């Protein structure tokens, strides 16, 4: 019940934005004209040093938007008795925070007190997709940064073990449709997952099956070899797809081959509507990219912040 109340209250925050707070494409045209190029250079420069940065930034943006809207609450550090989102169980493997913090520092030197951390994160997520060979889009801007960040609220994030009905509920509570669900799941075309996110599918799946019968046996065998029993390797895991630094439609092809990592990915075939979309996106990269852009703009327009933070790690 507490979770439902928390969800409802966060949704009320999302819808509380007045038309005056509406996002626009030219929000910083006069106040900080260089914001997009500063963010883009920061993302490019860090990606040159670490090829996992684009996937990390895209994931940061998702995890931010799904809790209280895209208000950069995921960037706040825990303080005193308050454990922040970034230290919630679902967020412990997030990284790339320093890319946003570095861009913010540079922007503050150029136009202090003007650009929100939430906008920087939204721009960085777009740049991450572009750098990985994906589509580009104009990011609406004008988000405010939130003042609340609670680790306990990260329980609201969609889990890799979710069924299609749980996924649908999670997305619809944020005003996102089944189409958005399938398109945004395509973000799993880049990145890496630790064994803990899929180990339920490759050992002791249920009373009858050791391995999830929906998973291709040879794929399960390869995952069992990288995630041994009593696995002590902190960084053991698998890439989300073989072309894990390239933004393409391989993810959907793998679902059809029963080689998706998460049960939540494979679950997209258990509903006629989502199954049709998986087939459509597996066949046409162009159709996937168009849908992904539309859904990213829709998701990243959820905003419930109150201020422009001077430092992304702490409230003003």
């Amino acid at each position: 019940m507490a979770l439902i109340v928390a969800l409802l209250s966060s949704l009320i925050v999302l819808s509380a934005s007045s038309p005056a707070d509406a996002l626009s494409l030219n929000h910083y045209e006069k106040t900080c004209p260089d914001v997009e190029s500063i963010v883009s250079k920061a993302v490019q420069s860090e990606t040159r040093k670490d090829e996992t940065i684009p996937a990390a930034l895209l994931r940061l943006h998702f995890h931010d938007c799904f809790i209280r809207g895209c208000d950069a609450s995921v960037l706040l550090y825990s303080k005193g008795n308050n454990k922040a989102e970034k230290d919630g169980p679902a967020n412990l493997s997030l990284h790339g925070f320093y890319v946003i913090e570095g861009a913010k520092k540079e922007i503050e030197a150029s136009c202090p007190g003007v650009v929100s951390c939430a906008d920087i994160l939204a721009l960085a997520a777009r740049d991450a997709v572009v750098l990985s060979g994906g589509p580009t889009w104009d990011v609406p801007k004008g988000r405010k940064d939130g003042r609340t960040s609670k680790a306990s609220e990260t329980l609201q994030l969609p889990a890799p073990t979710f069924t299609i009905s749980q996924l649908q509920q999670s997305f619809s509570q944020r005003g996102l449709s089944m189409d958005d669900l399938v398109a945004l799941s395509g973000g799993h075309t880049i990145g890496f997952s630790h064994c803990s996110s899929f180990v339920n599918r490759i050992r002791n799946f249920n009373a009858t099956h050791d391995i999830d019968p929906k998973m291709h046996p040879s794929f399960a065998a390869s995952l069992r070899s990288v995630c041994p029993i009593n696995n002590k390797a902190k960084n053991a895991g698998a890439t989300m797809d073989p072309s894990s630094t390239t933004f393409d439609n391989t993810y959907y092809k793998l679902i059809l081959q029963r080689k998706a990592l998460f049960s939540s990915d494979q679950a997209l075939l258990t509903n006629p509507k989502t199954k049709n979309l998986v087939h459509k996106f597996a066949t046409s990269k162009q159709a996937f990219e168009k849908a992904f852009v539309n859904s990213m703009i829709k998701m990243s327009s959820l905003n419930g912040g109150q201020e422009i933070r001077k430092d992304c790690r702490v409230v003003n």
Side-chain angles (χ1 to χ4, degrees), residues 44-255:
Q44 283 178 44
S45 146
E46 296 303 340
T47 301
R48 275 197 291 271
K49 297 177 216 166
D50 178 357
E51 67 175 12
T52 69
I53 284 299
L57 294 174
L58 184 57
R59 190 161 172 244
L60 262 183
H61 185 48
F62 277 130
H63 283 229
D64 180 36
C65 294
F66 263 70
I67 309 294
R68 295 178 173 266
C70 316
D71 64 347
S73 53
V74 75
L75 304 177
L76 287 169
Y77 279 46
S78 295
K79 189 181 178 188
N81 292 329
N82 182 59
K83 199 173 172 190
E85 283 171 39
K86 74 193 293 290
D87 295 319
N91 284 344
L92 293 175
S93 59
L94 291 178
H95 71 111
F97 293 91
Y98 65 91
V99 183
I100 307 300
E101 290 159 10
K104 172 67 171 171
K105 207 170 174 180
E106 212 174 318
I107 288 164
E108 283 299 301
S110 176
C111 27
V114 170
V115 181
S116 68
C117 300
D119 275 348
I120 296 171
L121 185 48
L123 289 167
R126 186 269 317 269
D127 294 337
V129 170
V130 174
L131 269 182
S132 308
T136 189
W137 64 93
D138 287 330
V139 176
K141 295 164 286 289
R143 293 165 192 78
K144 296 269 177 63
D145 296 324
R147 297 179 56 81
T148 306
S149 183
K150 295 180 185 294
S152 57
E153 292 185 358
T154 60
L155 294 170
Q156 301 168 23
L157 288 164
T161 52
F162 268 16
T163 62
I164 195 69
S165 57
Q166 288 173 309
L167 288 169
Q168 184 177 7
Q169 186 184 13
S170 175
F171 276 69
S172 68
Q173 279 164 339
R174 290 153 180 87
L176 299 168
S177 67
M178 295 287 263
D179 294 62
D180 298 319
L181 159 61
V182 183
L184 292 172
S185 295
H188 285 167
T189 179
I190 55 173
F192 174 89
S193 169
H194 291 95
C195 295
S196 56
S197 294
F198 55 83
V199 73
N200 64 302
R201 302 187 70 202
I202 58 171
R203 282 196 182 86
N204 308 315
F205 179 68
N206 61 22
T208 351
H209 297 97
D210 191 27
I211 291 166
D212 181 351
K214 291 196 175 86
M215 185 182 266
H216 195 289
S218 68
F219 184 54
S222 70
L223 293 177
R224 282 166 74 111
S225 68
V226 293
C227 302
I229 300 174
N230 306 326
N231 167 37
K232 295 284 187 289
K234 196 168 133 242
N235 293 319
T239 54
M240 295 302 294
D241 80 21
S243 54
S244 67
T245 56
T246 306
F247 195 93
D248 54 25
N249 63 339
T250 305
Y251 164 79
Y252 299 102
K253 295 175 183 175
L254 291 172
I255 293 176

